[in-house]
Amino acid sequence: ALESLSLRIPPCAHVAIVGPNGSGKSTLLRAIAGLVRLRRGEVRLSRGGSEVRPSIGYVPQRKSLDLRFPALSIELVASGILRRWPAKVGGHLAAESQRALERVGAGHLASRSVALLSGGELQRVLLARALAKQAELLLLDEPDTGIDAEGEEAVLKALDDLRQSGGATILTVTHDLDLALHHADRCIVLNRRVLFDGSPLDPGLREALGMAFGHGRHSHPVP
């Protein structure tokens, strides 16, 4: 899925990863999260030059989830804090879970069954789960897909606040150029290999997008 890939991501960066379907974007996140075995190469996570295993928050694409599991939204968020399924959600655990839901504009969904959530609502709850565990590394696979305008604004604000506070390193797979251009400080264009790695304001981004998507004559809204 990936060829000759070499990246170094500094702490507290927000990196948008853009590319066509099948370009290896989700595979890259899963490799970093330790969910796929590497045939060759390695992923190193370090702090101050020493290898560590940081707390990782991973939000997969919704299509990879089984929504038949009987659970409330607040229980799903609490499981991110405990790193196991909670027997009961109350007291401090409930307050922390509720606070995480409110950060992404989903406080009203706390007592809603996960099975009854719309696609956009579920995406917000999953992001709240990742934020609740105070992850040092946040891996987001198309977090704004299927969310209405109000929900997307809440999600992007939460990511902006997290980046500005230096609370986590964020890697976001996205098809949304607005997110990449205006909410990330680095953009990677991927199509099995890296075609571009730099500032979203770099003029070279336009050419790389044309190469990645195979339509170089098409004009992308890149400043």
Side-chain angles (χ1 to χ4, degrees), residues 64-103:
S64 65
L65 301 170
D66 184 351
L67 302 181
R68 295 171 295 177
F69 186 67
L72 300 180
S73 296
I74 197 167
E75 294 173 329
L76 184 58
V77 174
S79 71
I81 299 173
L82 296 177
R83 294 173 175 79
R84 58 177 173 79
W85 197 256
K88 180 181 179 181
V89 181
H92 180 70
L93 179 61
E96 287 294 310
S97 301
Q98 184 68 35
R99 187 156 38 245
L101 284 166
E102 290 173 356
R103 285 185 67 183

Side-chain angles (χ1 to χ4, degrees), residues 26-37:
S26 296
T27 299
L28 175 59
L29 291 196
R30 289 173 57 81
I32 294 172
L35 299 176
V36 295
R37 180 175 297 180

